[in-house]
C-alpha cells in the first residue's frame, strides 16, 4: 500500500528500520505516524539539561499550579484545521502519546515537554501525571524554544489538502503520514488540484485569507455554485444575478454585466446617488447621535436614581433631626418649668415677668400626616360636630378625613373643573369655591353634591358664612348670598374693592375683607362699609380676629396687628421670609395664640399677650397655604400635597 503526503514524502511499510517510537492506531484509522529519529537528539524520555534547569527555576514562581484541569479539556478545543507538513517534523517536536506536533508546548516539573491541551482518550495515564515517568505534574511553564521551532515548519495550504479516502477492507499499516487534524493522524493528504503553496505554520492565516483556492460564494446570489477565489472575477462577468447598487433604495434590476452597465445609464436612482449617499450618511449620524443620547439618558437615569436615594436618605436624616429637636424642646420646657419654680420660691418677680412670654405647656408637635391628594392643598375646613376635616386641592377634589377614629380619608368629593380654593361650612352644608368660578353645595350627612352655582366671572378665592348668609370673594367683588335650603339667592354685591379679595372673616356683627394694602370692615346687618384700615406690605392674603386684635398677613412677609376697639395699629410682626398665606386663632381663658402659615414652608406660633413668636414649626416640604383649628388641634395644608396635624 502506498500513499503520497507531499512532494518530498512517500509511505513506508510498517516496521521500517529507524522507527524507534510507534503508536498503534485506533480501529477508525488506517494510517499511523512514525516520527523519524534524529541522530543529534536524545530520546523523549530523557529530558535535556536546559529543560530541567527551566523547570527547576519555575518551581519557585508557579509551585501551586495544577495540571489536572489543563489536561482534561475537551477535544473540541483543539484546532480542526488540516495540517499536512511539507517535511517530516523532528521527533522532539511531537507528543509521545498522540504522535502529533505539540500544540502550546509546556515544560512540566519533571522536565518533559507536554501539550497544554489534550484529550487523552484511551491513554491509561492519569491526566495529572507525566506520560513518560508518571511523575506528578504541578508546575507548567511555556516551552518557547519548541513553540518557535514548530512555527517555522512548512505546511501545505489547507486549500491544497483533501481528506484521505477510506478503502473498505484495507489492512492497517504503519506509515509516516505526517498529517494531523484535531489530534487524529492520517486524516488529510495533498490535493494535486488544490493550492500548490507551502507556507510556514505561523504564516498560514495570512496566506489562506488571500489564497486563490479559497472557496467563496457569489456576492450577487447565494444560489450560484461555489467558486474559488481565482474564478470569482470571471464568474462576476458572466453572472446573471447582478443587482443594481441602488437596490436598497427600491431598484429591482437584476441582470448580467452588460445589462448592468446599460441599466446604470437609465436608472432613476443613479442621478440621485450623491443625495442618497448624503441621506445615508446623515441617517447614520442621526443613529449615532440617538445612540449617544440613549447612553446619556441611561446615565442621567442612573444619576437620578442615585440622587433620589440620597434625597430619601436626607429626608430620613431630617426626620430624625426633627425628632431629636422635639425631644430637646420638651426637655428644655421641663428645665424651664423647674427654673421658674425655683425663681418663684426665691420671689424673683422680675425674672418671672421676663419669662412669662414663654409657656412650656403650649409646645406644639406634629402628630401625623394625611396623605392622598395629587396636588397642592389650598384650603381646609373643620366640621367639629362629626370630627371631619375637609381639604381642597389643585387636583380639583375635596377629601374628607376622619380626625377622631380611623384617621383615614372617608371619601373624595369630585365635581369642580378647576382648583378648589375655598371651603366653608354652614349647618349641615359644605360650600366649596373654585377656579372654575362656581360654588358647589354639598350635603355633609350624605357627602353628595346637591347644587352648583355660577358665582363669579373670576375664580372664587374665599368663602365665609354668618347670619344665614354666605360671602364669596373674587376679583374686586364680594357677593352676599342668602342661604335658602340648598339654594343660594344673590342678595347684594359689595363693591369699591381695589384688587383680589383673598381673605374674608366674619366675627360677631362684622365682616372683614382684605385686598391690596386695605382691610375693609362691613356691618353684616346693613352690609355697609363702616371702617377702612390702610396697611403696607402688598396684598392682604389672610385675616384673623381675636377678642382684642385684628391680624392680617401680607404678600411681603409681614403680619400687621390692630387694636379691635380703637382701630389703631399696635404692632408689625416679622420673622417670616415669604408670603403669609393663612392665619388661625386658638383662644383660652388664659391666653390667645395666633398661628401663621407662610410661603417659606414654616408655621409660627405668636403669643398675643406680648406679641412675640414662641415657636416655629418646620415639617412641610412645600409652602404652607391653609390652616384650620378644632378642639385645640391645628391642621396645616401645603404645596407638598399633605395635611399635617399639630397638638400640644
Amino acid at each position: 500500500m502506498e500513499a503520497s503526503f507531499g512532494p518530498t514524502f512517500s509511505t513506508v511499510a510498517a516496521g521500517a528500520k529507524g522507527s524507534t517510537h510507534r503508536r498503534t492506531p485506533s480501529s477508525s484509522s488506517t494510517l499511523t505516524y512514525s516520527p523519524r529519529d534524529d541522530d543529534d537528539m536524545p530520546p523523549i524520555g530523557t529530558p535535556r539539561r536546559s529543560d530541567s534547569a527551566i523547570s527547576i527555576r519555575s518551581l519557585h514562581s508557579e509551585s501551586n499550579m495544577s495540571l489536572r484541569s489543563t489536561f482534561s479539556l475537551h477535544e473540541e478545543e483543539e484546532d480542526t484545521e488540516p495540517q499536512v507538513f511539507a517535511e517530516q517534523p523532528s521527533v522532539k517536536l511531537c507528543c509521545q502519546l498522540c504522535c502529533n506536533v505539540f500544540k502550546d508546548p509546556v515544560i512540566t516539573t519533571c522536565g518533559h515537554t507536554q501539550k497544554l491541551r489534550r484529550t487523552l482518550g484511551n491513554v491509561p495515564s492519569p491526566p495529572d501525571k507525566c506520560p513518560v515517568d508518571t511523575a506528578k505534574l504541578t508546575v507548567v511553564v511555556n516551552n518557547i524554544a519548541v513553540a518557535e521551532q514548530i512555527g517555522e515548519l512548512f505546511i501545505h495550504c489547507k486549500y491544497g489538502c483533501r481528506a484521505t479516502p477510506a478503502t473498505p477492507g484495507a489492512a492497517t499499516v504503519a506509515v509516516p503520514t505526517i498529517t494531523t487534524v484535531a489530534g487524529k493522524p492520517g486524516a488529510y493528504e495533498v490535493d494535486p488540484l488544490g493550492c500548490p503553496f507551502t507556507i510556514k505554520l505561523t504564516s498560514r492565516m495570512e496566506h489562506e485569507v488571500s489564497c486563490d483556492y479559497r472557496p467563496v460564494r457569489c456576492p450577487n446570489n447565494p444560489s450560484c455554485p461555489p467558486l474559488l477565489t481565482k474564478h470569482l472575477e470571471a464568474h462576476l462577468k458572466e453572472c446573471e444575478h447582478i443587482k443594481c447598487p441602488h437596490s436598497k433604495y427600491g431598484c429591482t434590476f437584476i441582470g448580467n454585466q452588460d445589462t448592468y452597465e446599460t441599466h446604470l445609464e437609465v436608472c432613476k436612482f443613479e442621478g440621485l446617488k450623491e443625495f442618497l449617499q448624503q441621506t445615508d450618511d446623515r441617517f447614520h449620524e442621526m443613529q449615532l447621535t440617538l445612540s449617544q443620547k440613549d447612553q446619556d439618558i441611561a446615565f442621567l437615569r442612573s444619576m437620578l436614581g442615585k440622587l433620589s436615594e440620597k434625597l430619601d436618605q436626607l429626608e430620613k436624616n431630617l426626620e430624625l433631626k426633627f425628632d431629636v429637636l422635639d425631644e430637646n424642646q420638651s426637655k428644655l420646657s421641663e428645665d424651664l418649668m423647674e427654673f421658674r419654680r425655683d425663681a418663684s420660691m426665691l420671689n424673683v418677680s422680675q425674672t418671672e415677668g421676663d419669662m412669662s412670654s414663654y409657656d412650656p405647656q403650649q409646645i406644639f408637635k406634629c402628630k401625623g400626616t394625611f396623605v392622598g391628594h395629587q396636588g397642592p392643598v389650598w384650603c381646609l375646613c373643620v366640621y367639629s360636630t362629626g370630627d371631619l376635616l375637609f381639604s381642597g386641592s389643585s387636583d380639583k377634589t375635596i377629601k374628607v378625613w376622619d380626625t377622631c377614629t380611623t384617621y383615614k380619608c372617608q371619601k373624595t368629593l369630585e365635581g369642580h373643573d378647576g382648583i378648589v380654593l375655598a371651603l366653608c361650612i354652614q349647618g349641615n352644608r359644605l360650600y366649596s369655591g373654585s377656579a372654575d368660578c362656581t360654588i358647589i353645595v354639598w350635603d355633609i350627612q350624605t357627602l353628595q353634591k346637591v347644587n352648583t352655582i355660577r358665582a363669579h366671572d373670576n375664580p372664587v378665592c374665599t368663602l365665609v358664612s354668618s347670619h344665614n348668609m354666605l360671602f364669596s370673594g373674587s376679583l374686586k367683588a364680594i357677593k352676599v348670598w342668602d342661604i335658602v335650603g340648598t339654594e343660594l339667592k344673590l342678595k347684594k354685591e359689595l363693591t369699591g374693592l381695589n384688587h383680589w379679595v383673598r381673605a374674608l372673616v366674619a366675627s360677631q356683627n362684622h365682616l372683614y375683607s382684605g385686598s391690596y394694602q386695605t382691610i375693609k370692615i362691613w356691618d353684616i346687618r346693613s352690609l355697609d362699609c363702616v371702617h377702612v384700615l390702610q396697611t403696607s406690605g402688598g396684598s392682604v392674603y389672610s385675616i384673623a380676629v381675636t377678642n382684642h386684635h385684628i391680624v392680617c398677613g401680607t404678600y411681603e412677609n409681614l403680619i400687621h396687628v390692630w387694636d379691635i376697639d380703637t382701630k389703631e395699629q399696635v404692632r408689625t410682626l416679622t420673622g417670616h421670609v415669604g408670603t403669609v398665606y393663612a392665619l388661625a386663632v386658638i383662644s383660652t381663658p388664659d391666653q390667645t395664640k395666633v398661628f401663621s402659615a407662610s410661603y417659606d414652608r414654616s408655621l409660627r406660633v405668636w403669643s398675643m399677650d406680648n406679641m412675640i413668636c414662641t415657636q416655629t414649626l418646620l415639617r412641610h416640604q412645600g409652602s404652607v397655604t391653609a390652616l384650620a383649628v378644632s378642639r385645640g388641634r391645628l391642621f396645616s395644608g401645603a404645596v407638598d400635597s399633605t395635611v399635617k396635624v399639630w397638638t400640644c
Side-chain angles (χ1 to χ4, degrees):
M1 178 180 176
E2 256 185 8
S4 174
F5 294 89
T8 60
F9 282 90
S10 61
T11 59
V12 295
K17 184 178 180 180
S19 297
T20 59
H21 300 280
R22 189 178 306 278
R23 181 173 178 235
T24 303
S26 64
S27 60
S28 61
S29 175
T30 58
L31 299 175
T32 187
Y33 171 57
S34 177
R36 178 188 62 181
D37 283 344
D38 286 349
D39 296 335
D40 57 346
M41 188 181 78
I44 292 179
T46 306
R48 293 184 298 171
R49 179 171 185 145
S50 60
D51 288 347
S52 300
I54 293 175
S55 65
I56 292 172
R57 286 195 299 269
S58 68
L59 287 172
H60 299 287
S61 60
E62 302 182 10
S63 59
N64 294 325
M65 292 181 59
S66 173
L67 292 183
R68 181 178 299 274
S69 60
T70 302
F71 286 115
S72 62
L73 297 175
H74 295 289
E75 183 174 358
E76 285 78 1
E77 295 186 8
E78 293 282 356
D79 286 342
T80 58
E81 299 289 342
Q83 289 184 356
V84 178
F85 291 89
E87 295 182 0
Q88 185 169 340
S90 171
V91 69
K92 66 181 180 180
L93 304 180
C94 301
C95 174
Q96 189 173 359
L97 284 177
C98 64
C99 300
N100 286 331
V101 172
F102 284 121
K103 175 66 176 179
D104 298 328
V106 294
I107 301 175
T108 62
T109 52
C110 60
H112 298 118
T113 299
Q114 302 291 340
K115 292 174 68 175
L116 179 61
R117 295 178 294 178
R118 70 164 71 250
T119 299
L120 295 179
N122 296 325
V123 178
S125 299
D128 58 348
K129 292 185 179 181
C130 177
V132 179
D133 54 13
T134 68
K136 186 175 181 180
L137 304 179
T138 56
V139 179
V140 177
V141 293
N142 292 331
N143 194 331
I144 299 175
V146 171
E148 290 179 349
Q149 292 180 53
I150 293 173
E152 293 296 316
L153 296 177
F154 280 86
I155 63 171
H156 288 274
C157 172
K158 71 177 181 180
Y159 302 120
C161 303
R162 65 185 179 187
T164 302
T167 303
T172 299
V173 295
V175 292
T177 62
I178 41 92
T179 66
T180 62
V181 57
K184 298 179 181 179
Y188 290 89
E189 63 183 5
V190 175
D191 184 358
L193 301 179
C195 178
F197 291 99
T198 58
I199 63 273
K200 288 184 179 181
L201 187 59
T202 55
S203 304
R204 71 177 301 172
M205 294 298 296
E206 181 180 355
H207 165 77
E208 290 170 354
V209 167
S210 59
C211 182
D212 287 343
Y213 289 83
R214 179 170 64 91
V216 293
R217 285 287 183 180
C218 175
N220 298 325
N221 186 9
S223 300
C224 288
L227 304 166
L228 298 181
T229 301
K230 64 179 181 178
H231 300 146
L232 179 60
E233 184 176 357
H235 169 77
L236 292 178
K237 293 180 180 180
E238 301 174 356
C239 183
E240 296 289 340
H241 303 94
I242 299 177
K243 293 183 179 180
C244 177
H246 307 303
S247 58
K248 61 181 178 179
Y249 303 121
C251 184
T252 58
F253 169 81
I254 297 177
N256 55 30
Q257 184 68 28
D258 294 336
T259 57
Y260 167 76
E261 294 176 355
T262 304
H263 166 74
L264 286 182
E265 296 177 358
V266 297
C267 180
K268 61 182 179 181
F269 296 100
E270 182 68 14
L272 300 173
K273 64 179 181 180
E274 292 185 1
F275 170 76
L276 295 174
Q277 184 61 44
Q278 292 175 359
T279 303
D280 280 348
D281 294 342
R282 181 58 179 164
F283 181 70
H284 180 66
E285 291 176 3
M286 293 177 66
Q287 285 182 318
L288 294 177
T289 303
L290 183 61
S291 176
Q292 183 62 41
K293 295 298 182 184
D294 288 341
Q295 295 178 8
D296 293 343
I297 291 173
F299 173 74
L300 291 176
R301 284 178 177 171
S302 173
M303 295 301 295
L304 184 60
K306 295 179 180 178
L307 183 61
S308 178
E309 292 176 1
K310 291 183 179 179
L311 190 60
D312 290 342
Q313 186 62 40
L314 288 174
E315 186 175 358
K316 292 179 182 177
N317 293 340
L318 187 61
E319 291 289 338
L320 292 175
K321 290 181 179 179
F322 276 128
D323 292 339
V324 173
L325 183 62
D326 288 342
E327 294 177 3
N328 292 340
Q329 198 168 22
S330 299
K331 188 175 184 303
L332 179 62
S333 66
E334 294 173 1
D335 294 342
L336 187 56
M337 290 177 64
E338 185 69 24
F339 181 73
R340 290 184 65 181
R341 283 196 296 267
D342 294 342
S344 177
M345 292 175 63
L346 294 173
N347 197 22
V348 187
S349 59
Q350 182 63 39
T351 304
E352 285 184 345
D354 292 341
M355 299 180 63
S356 63
S357 63
Y358 186 82
D359 186 358
Q361 300 295 333
Q362 295 295 320
I363 299 300
F364 282 82
K365 297 181 181 179
C366 181
K367 293 300 182 181
T369 302
F370 292 129
V371 179
H373 278 298
Q374 302 301 312
V377 176
W378 293 108
C379 52
L380 296 173
C381 187
V382 176
Y383 181 60
S384 57
T385 303
D387 286 312
L388 298 178
L389 173 69
F390 298 89
S391 59
S393 169
S394 289
D395 61 14
K396 305 178 184 179
T397 68
I398 302 167
K399 288 190 178 291
V400 186
W401 309 92
D402 181 353
T403 65
C404 184
T405 55
T406 64
Y407 304 100
K408 295 181 179 179
C409 179
Q410 298 297 304
K411 190 171 182 180
T412 299
L413 309 182
E414 299 179 351
H416 282 293
D417 295 328
I419 297 171
V420 182
L421 297 171
L423 293 171
C424 174
I425 290 177
Q426 174 70 30
N428 290 327
R429 300 284 187 265
L430 170 70
Y431 300 90
S432 59
S434 168
D436 62 11
C437 309
T438 67
I439 297 174
I440 294 182
V441 185
W442 309 84
D443 187 298
I444 296 179
Q445 301 301 322
T446 62
L447 297 178
Q448 298 294 325
K449 179 172 64 174
V450 294
N451 199 2
T452 301
I453 297 95
R454 177 75 181 185
H456 290 270
D457 295 329
N458 294 287
V460 180
C461 297
T462 180
L463 293 172
V464 69
S465 65
S466 180
H467 293 70
N468 206 37
M469 291 183 291
L470 180 70
F471 302 88
S472 59
S474 184
L475 178 62
K476 297 182 180 181
I478 300 173
K479 288 188 177 183
V480 185
W481 309 83
D482 278 327
I483 300 175
V484 183
T486 60
E487 298 293 327
L488 292 178
K489 304 294 185 180
L490 181 62
K491 182 174 184 178
K492 187 177 181 179
E493 181 172 348
L494 307 182
T495 58
L497 300 153
N498 58 12
H499 207 260
W500 287 97
V501 179
R502 294 187 175 91
L504 283 176
V505 171
S507 177
Q508 297 181 356
N509 294 322
H510 291 94
L511 174 71
Y512 301 82
S513 65
S515 54
Y516 182 74
Q517 297 192 155
T518 303
I519 294 178
K520 287 194 173 187
I521 305 174
W522 311 79
D523 187 296
I524 290 182
R525 290 164 297 187
S526 65
L527 298 178
D528 294 328
C529 180
V530 297
H531 206 91
V532 177
L533 303 179
Q534 297 294 335
T535 183
S536 61
S539 294
V540 176
Y541 272 73
S542 53
I543 296 177
V545 178
T546 72
N547 293 333
H548 304 289
H549 300 100
I550 303 168
V551 187
C552 81
T554 67
Y555 173 78
E556 295 179 354
N557 321 334
L558 302 176
I559 299 174
H560 299 294
V561 183
W562 289 266
D563 185 280
I564 197 169
D565 295 325
T566 64
K567 305 298 187 295
E568 296 291 334
Q569 185 169 343
V570 295
R571 188 69 62 90
T572 295
L573 308 180
T574 60
H576 282 298
V577 292
T579 300
V580 181
Y581 281 126
L583 294 169
V585 180
I586 292 182
S587 295
T588 64
D590 298 331
Q591 60 182 341
T592 299
K593 290 188 179 296
V594 171
F595 301 87
S596 59
S598 172
Y599 176 83
D600 62 15
R601 303 186 180 186
S602 72
L603 293 88
R604 285 179 176 262
V605 185
W606 306 88
S607 172
M608 299 309 293
D609 297 334
N610 45 30
M611 303 289 180
I612 67 170
C613 177
T614 61
Q615 193 179 356
T616 300
L617 309 178
L618 297 169
R619 276 304 178 91
H620 281 290
Q621 304 301 311
S623 304
V624 188
T625 57
L627 295 175
V629 294
S630 174
R631 300 184 182 180
R633 297 172 298 176
L634 174 69
F635 302 94
S636 61
V639 173
D640 60 11
S641 306
T642 67
V643 177
K644 292 189 180 292
V645 185
W646 309 82
T647 61
C648 293

